Amino acid sequence: MRMTRYFLPVLRETPAEAQIASHRLMLRAGMIQQSSAGIYSWLPLGLRILRKIENIVHEEQIAAGHIPMLMPTLQPASLWQESGRYDDYGREMLRITDRQGRKLLYGPTNEEQITDIFRAHVNSYRDLPLTLYHIQWKFRDEIRPRFGIMRGREFLMKDGYNFDIDKAGAIHSYNRHMVSYLRTYERLGLQAVPMRADTGPIGGNHSHEFLVLADTGESEVFFDNRILGNRFGDRKLDFDNREECQGIFDEWTSPYARTDETHDPKEFEDQVPAEHRQTSRAIEVGQIFYFGTKYSQPMQAMVVDADGQRTAVHMGSHGIGVSRLAGAIIEASHDDKGIIWPRSAAPFDVGIVNLAQGNTATGEVCDDLCTALEGLGMEPLYDDTRERAGSKFATMDLIGLPWRITVGPRGLAVGEVELTERRSGESIKCTPEAAVNRLRSIYTGQGG
């Protein structure tokens, strides 16, 4: 992609309303623009990042055996009245009446909608277990939207719902989601610690939040810092194996880790040696729930069991804040120059900077680099503008692409370009071919 043909409205100054790093940098990098309080347009660069994150979430959900679908943003109020949550949810719910006088709501979550779909089509225990999920925009009318997309009113969320014949099956679904979420966050370069949490308006009595440690986080958390050494890594897993999933659940949840709502100071002191007790701020990026028959019972989501009896299914719901993850990654990975994207979420793989736009030699090398990198399946962003060199470098640092190739007349005079890694800041001078080969070995695992 040539920058002269792209829409990238970067800002040189920090907007006054931006209080935290992710908000400042998303505005400055031209990722988002506020439409109204807590509601944002995702500009082209931001959308590319959002889609990268969304694809990783999809891949891990499908790997766990979960089935994607799509439910509407607007839901009939009658479903929520049936479950008993319509009046309980409070003023965060945006309630709407259409021209026919029908009461609707802009969905903050989808337990009622998915239960209605399930009861219309599933009648036998033989069709279980079943987990359906979607990635859809949600709306919660926050009283004080702030911190950009981190505490907005409209947000993109993955929410999944499991249906099982009994509690044992539902707990396995819960554990399966725990594992799939750990894999998702690691792929995005994050360590999200699962912590015992309050169930809030979703209900039930079994829930964990996934939190990324950050000074700007809204949650206060208490944990045994030895859990920070945990990594899922490349281990292979059979998601249908209950013992295997339970083992990973136990590994990650045995150390003390609680949000402020569930924190027990005495238990913390009893379980964790003083040198390993840690308190921090953290950003919530996901939550999983098991709530039994809370929705299936009142909404009559029943199946015929092996004994021929009709029984209410056991359910759970499981959410990942897809749009919030973009902000969480920035909070966890930035410096005073700008964002530092992990390769998995970067909008482009490499930036190519032409220091002498209009120069035939540098232009030809930049074109050849783009062609070679695209041939490897990589996505380069070519700065072919006539901006000053300092301005070009500042933009590349701001938007945080993992690699930069700088092409200038002086370097080409001796057959060299400069390859720079954004995270470490380390640069090497090499031939254009060597730069391409280095990136090939990093991105494809193939030398040459």
Side-chain angles (χ1 to χ4, degrees), residues 324 344 406:
R324 177 176 275 215
S344 57
T406 304

Side-chain angles (χ1 to χ4, degrees), residues 367-396:
D367 287 341
D368 290 345
L369 284 168
C370 286
T371 299
L373 293 170
E374 288 168 351
L376 296 175
M378 297 176 66
E379 296 177 298
L381 177 63
Y382 173 20
D383 188 343
D384 60 340
T385 67
R386 295 185 179 273
E387 294 285 330
R388 295 177 296 105
S391 176
K392 291 189 175 198
F393 290 145
T395 295
M396 286 296 175

Side-chain angles (χ1 to χ4, degrees), residues 75-88 93 105 111-117 119-120 293-302:
Q75 303 177 34
S78 58
L79 290 177
W80 286 64
Q81 290 166 340
E82 191 176 347
S83 73
R85 278 208 304 173
Y86 185 70
D87 295 322
D88 293 344
M93 181 188 290
L105 57 97
E111 282 80 7
E112 285 81 2
Q113 185 84 64
I114 195 68
T115 304
D116 183 55
I117 292 169
R119 69 184 177 183
T293 60
K294 174 181 170 65
Y295 299 93
S296 58
Q297 194 75 52
M299 296 184 70
Q300 293 294 294
M302 317 283 279

